[in-house]
Amino acid sequence: MKLTLTASLLASAAFAGSAMACETTLRSSDTHPGDYPTVLAVEAMGDMLEERSDGRLCIEVFHSAQLGEEKDTIEQTQFGVIDMNRVSMGPFNNIVEETQVVSLPYIFRSVEHMHNVMDGPIGDEILAAFEPHDLVGLAYYDGGSRSFYNSEKPIQSIDDLQGMKFRVMQSDIFVDMVGALGANATPMPYGEVYSGIQTGVIDGAENNWPSFESSGHFEVAPYYTLDQHLIVPEVLVMSKASFDALSPEDQELVRQAAKDSVPIMREAWAEREAQSEQQVRDAGVEIVTEIDKQPFIDAMGPVYEKYVTSDKLKSLVERIQATE
Ligand code: GTR
């Protein structure tokens, strides 16, 4: 019995690998697979942190939704059960009001516009808004632009969307966004989308190239229309409880390493986006690139009216629109 226990302890110590030497290993969640840019970036952050703290602080990334789907892992991060989390801003909409503005359809004119906003004072303001919700906002990552894909037909215009059923991330804004286009939205966890399309519970979903590819959704939804309705930044947050448990020096190391992981993420993203697009095209997915976005943009009026009501959000939207 004793021998078995020792053997299993040894086995788990070996499994922990280099994290074993660390005083504190921060557990970080990600829904994506191990080779996805967001996972690689948090791992790179962990390497920087381990080196800069002389091995005091490490990060272990639990990728592929090992710790659960985004909505649940966000709650666990608020409670301090999970130390860090890399998530889209979308699932935060019902928790951190300020995240709603960057989840509005067509709020950003391009990825470059999104970078200019999030890298500046508006980005800092939104990061700070996480604190009252037991979270510390550390850095923004890229999520490309999201477009509709489905199992039924090529979507050439809003007319083709009428009555179709699309999965959206768990946020009311996206439900209303799809509704404003005349389609029906079903909020559901990311991990259920593949089988949802396969079994016909939904006709499709919407996402960026790397997610469309890595999730395998393209296998069951071979029509992709580049209407690019959303450019939602992603965010790396830390549990306030875990953050407060660190010394001020270590807190600074965490903040800095998170910031330093951003260019690594952007490079990995650009590479992966091109690879994913190629893979999806090679698989024979029918891609509609020529689409008039103006009717889509015009249809979003009611969504802005419903969500941009407080002075705080109005000011954020105006300042985002005024950013180059
Ligand atoms: C991805 C994003 C994930 C998750 C997913 C989804 O693009 O990186 O964090 O939000 O979309 O649609 O659930």
Side-chain angles (χ1 to χ4, degrees), residues 5-278:
L5 188 67
T6 315
S8 78
L9 275 178
L10 277 175
S12 62
F15 179 69
S18 69
M20 211 177 75
C22 290
E23 265 168 45
T24 305
T25 298
L26 304 170
R27 298 163 76 239
S28 190
S29 175
D30 200 309
T31 197
H32 292 302
D35 64 350
Y36 202 86
T38 52
V39 175
L40 300 178
V42 179
E43 281 176 354
M45 172 186 169
D47 290 344
M48 290 187 263
L49 206 53
E50 187 172 351
E51 197 192 318
R52 295 172 189 176
S53 68
D54 295 322
R56 233 176 16 261
L57 291 175
C58 297
I59 297 175
E60 189 174 356
V61 184
F62 292 81
H63 56 77
S64 311
Q66 291 171 65
L67 301 180
E69 295 285 354
E70 287 189 344
K71 197 163 171 278
D72 301 328
T73 60
I74 288 173
E75 274 173 25
Q76 293 183 41
T77 312
Q78 287 178 292
F79 288 133
V81 179
I82 296 174
D83 302 304
M84 287 171 57
N85 209 341
R86 191 295 314 160
V87 206
S88 164
M89 290 288 249
F92 282 111
N93 290 170
N94 300 348
I95 303 170
V96 184
E97 195 194 5
E98 287 82 347
T99 65
Q100 293 179 5
V101 293
V102 297
S103 307
L104 287 165
Y106 298 108
I107 183 80
F108 295 113
R109 295 184 293 273
S110 62
V111 171
E112 196 191 353
H113 179 214
M114 185 274 281
H115 284 165
N116 290 345
V117 170
M118 304 317 277
D119 290 347
I122 301 174
D124 290 343
E125 191 177 322
I126 299 175
L127 271 190
F130 282 86
E131 291 238 14
H133 305 280
D134 302 322
L135 297 164
V136 177
L138 293 177
Y140 295 113
Y141 284 170
D142 282 22
S145 56
R146 300 174 71 107
S147 294
F148 289 108
Y149 49 80
N150 79 94
S151 61
E152 300 294 309
K153 59 182 181 210
I155 307 291
Q156 312 280 1
S157 70
I158 294 184
D159 286 350
D160 295 327
L161 286 169
Q162 301 313 297
M164 289 184 78
K165 252 196 229 166
F166 288 95
R167 173 270 178 176
V168 290
M169 286 187 274
Q170 287 153 301
S171 154
D172 300 338
I173 294 187
F174 306 138
V175 174
D176 288 316
M177 170 190 78
V178 169
L181 294 168
N184 302 310
T186 309
M188 102 177 23
Y190 190 50
E192 291 172 21
V193 178
Y194 190 103
S195 65
I197 299 175
Q198 202 173 32
T199 57
V201 170
I202 43 174
D203 298 315
E206 46 84 53
N207 223 313
N208 53 51
W209 285 109
S211 292
F212 184 39
E213 172 265 305
S214 63
S215 60
H217 294 173
F218 70 98
E219 296 161 5
V220 286
Y223 303 101
Y224 194 32
T225 293
L226 303 182
D227 63 290
Q228 302 178 317
H229 51 266
L230 288 173
I231 296 178
V232 190
E234 316 219 323
V235 65
L236 181 64
V237 294
M238 185 155 170
S239 162
K240 187 147 186 339
S242 310
F243 192 78
D244 288 347
L246 300 177
S247 68
E249 293 76 28
D250 283 352
Q251 290 178 350
E252 191 41 42
L253 286 182
V254 167
R255 283 194 191 276
Q256 191 56 48
K259 291 218 170 344
D260 293 343
S261 72
V262 173
I264 297 172
M265 195 280 162
R266 287 188 185 165
E267 206 181 315
W269 180 265
E271 209 174 290
R272 179 62 179 252
E273 206 174 31
Q275 280 168 6
S276 296
E277 174 170 354
Q278 194 56 50

Side-chain angles (χ1 to χ4, degrees), residues 309-321:
T309 49
S310 68
D311 288 344
K312 187 167 50 176
L313 297 198
K314 276 185 193 155
S315 150
L316 277 167
V317 167
E318 278 165 19
R319 283 180 288 144
I320 290 174
Q321 287 170 339

